[in-house]
Amino acid sequence: MMARQAPQPAGNRRPTAAGARRRRVFLCADDYGIAPGVDAAIRDLLTGDRLSGTSVMVATRTFDATEARLLSALAGDARRLSIGLHLTLTAPFHPLIAAFRPTRNGAFPTIGRMIQLGFLRRLDPQALAAEVTAQFEAFADAFGRPPDFVDGHQHVQLVPQVSEAVLAATRRHAPQAWVRQCGRRVPLGARFADRKGLVIDLMSRRFRRLAATHGLTVNPAFAGTYDFADPRSYAALLAGFLDHLPDGAVVMCHPGRVDAELERLDPLTTRREQEYAFLASDAFPALMQSQGLLLA
């Protein structure tokens, strides 16, 4: 059974010429909820029609009902913007349930440790399922509805054992949502040049098969990973991500403004400001136009 493709969310937004067919990409800002500066930057881009949607971390100390109301107001009753659940199961964040194991100083394991434990099948399935369920329920409590889509911080949804828990919970709590797979469609040489991308490519093959067995929708392709030490501008990187993407592909991004909370939690700081600056600039719609793309 083949996994179905993700639906094309109603979006942006700009009419095309009669008879013209332009590809749509779903540009998703990850990490809403991680810190106030990131949240404000994402809301600014959503207001300016520069994003298709955002995925929300509910297991952070700064995400609350106020942040959910602000985001819901932007989406509106017509749901013109998509709001997803960004499942958070890695350090330095803390579980919502006290019974989650293993932890270190109360926090989840690092992503490297989660991958190791998942491949060895050493994660506690019941504790994992309970934590994933708690995050779905926290999202529903905050927004009054299930998420439009589901993905994971640091691509944790692709990890063995985690995948099973995430897909089962999605089928149970948000069966109409699509789930993010991270398989890319890039030339072979570029595939091997990006080691991180190659790993998630391989893990996504398994994830797509599992999603199909659950009857869940996945995105047809994915882009957005890069080495944060890469000296190229974000404009150049994004142009490469967008090149030759199929219709309906997901491109992740991490725009934000740096504040003390972000610096406490995450090493990805100034790159977020660079992404935000480009997406907010006139150069971004010009790039989309030059590649014949619309936001989904």
Side-chain angles (χ1 to χ4, degrees):
M1 179 179 178
M2 295 296 291
R4 293 174 290 145
Q5 291 189 350
Q8 304 305 302
N12 157 335
R13 336 222 215 196
R14 298 180 183 86
T16 58
R21 172 63 175 166
R22 295 177 66 182
R23 291 173 297 138
R24 291 178 178 269
V25 295
F26 189 92
L27 183 61
C28 179
D30 286 4
D31 296 353
Y32 190 91
I34 193 173
V38 170
D39 298 351
I42 291 173
R43 290 196 304 270
D44 183 52
L45 293 173
L46 289 168
T47 300
D49 211 25
R50 300 302 175 93
L51 297 167
S52 306
T54 185
S55 53
V56 179
M57 305 172 78
V58 298
T60 64
R61 72 178 190 179
T62 58
F63 178 74
D64 56 20
T66 299
E67 292 290 351
R69 283 195 297 271
L70 291 170
L71 196 52
S72 293
L74 289 178
D77 294 337
R79 305 269 289 274
R80 70 182 190 92
L81 300 167
S82 295
I83 302 175
L85 173 60
H86 200 52
L87 285 161
T88 307
L89 300 166
T90 56
F93 303 98
H94 290 233
L96 294 183
I97 66 165
F100 185 87
R101 295 291 184 272
T103 59
R104 183 173 183 180
N105 297 324
F108 291 112
T110 64
I111 184 59
R113 182 63 174 156
M114 284 293 285
I115 291 172
Q116 181 185 46
L117 292 170
F119 272 99
L120 292 173
R121 314 294 297 184
R122 289 175 57 189
L123 292 169
D124 182 329
Q126 291 183 327
L128 184 59
E131 176 63 29
V132 171
T133 294
Q135 293 191 28
F136 269 91
E137 291 174 344
F139 184 100
D141 287 345
F143 291 97
R145 62 176 180 85
D148 296 315
F149 62 95
V150 178
D151 55 36
H153 189 56
Q154 298 183 312
H155 315 297
V156 72
Q157 79 276 16
L158 305 178
V159 174
Q161 288 195 272
V162 179
S163 297
E164 289 89 331
V166 169
L167 293 170
T170 303
R171 184 175 62 182
R172 188 165 57 251
H173 298 286
Q176 301 306 309
W178 55 271
V179 289
R180 182 192 290 180
Q181 67 89 22
C182 301
R184 302 169 301 158
R185 294 190 184 179
V186 296
L188 189 61
R191 191 176 298 268
F192 284 96
D194 179 0
R195 289 179 294 178
K196 179 180 177 181
L198 181 60
V199 171
I200 65 172
D201 274 342
L202 297 172
M203 294 172 71
S204 290
R205 292 184 180 184
R206 175 182 177 276
F207 187 81
R208 291 193 298 271
R209 291 195 299 269
L210 287 173
T213 65
H214 284 78
L216 294 172
T217 301
V218 298
N219 50 299
F222 172 80
T225 62
Y226 66 96
D227 182 345
F228 299 129
D230 193 316
R232 290 175 292 173
S233 68
Y234 185 67
L237 290 165
L238 184 60
F241 299 152
L242 297 174
D243 194 26
H244 304 304
L245 280 178
D247 191 55
V250 169
V251 180
M252 74 169 183
C253 59
H254 295 85
R257 296 174 182 144
V258 177
D259 58 20
E261 182 70 359
L262 181 64
E263 290 179 326
R264 183 182 75 85
L265 291 170
D266 198 278
L268 180 55
T269 52
T270 55
R271 270 297 199 179
R272 291 183 190 264
E273 294 194 328
Q274 293 165 11
E275 292 191 23
Y276 170 61
F278 178 74
L279 293 173
S281 73
D282 292 339
F284 171 60
L287 173 62
M288 295 286 285
Q289 179 71 26
S290 71
Q291 296 217 21
L293 294 171
L294 292 171
L295 291 181

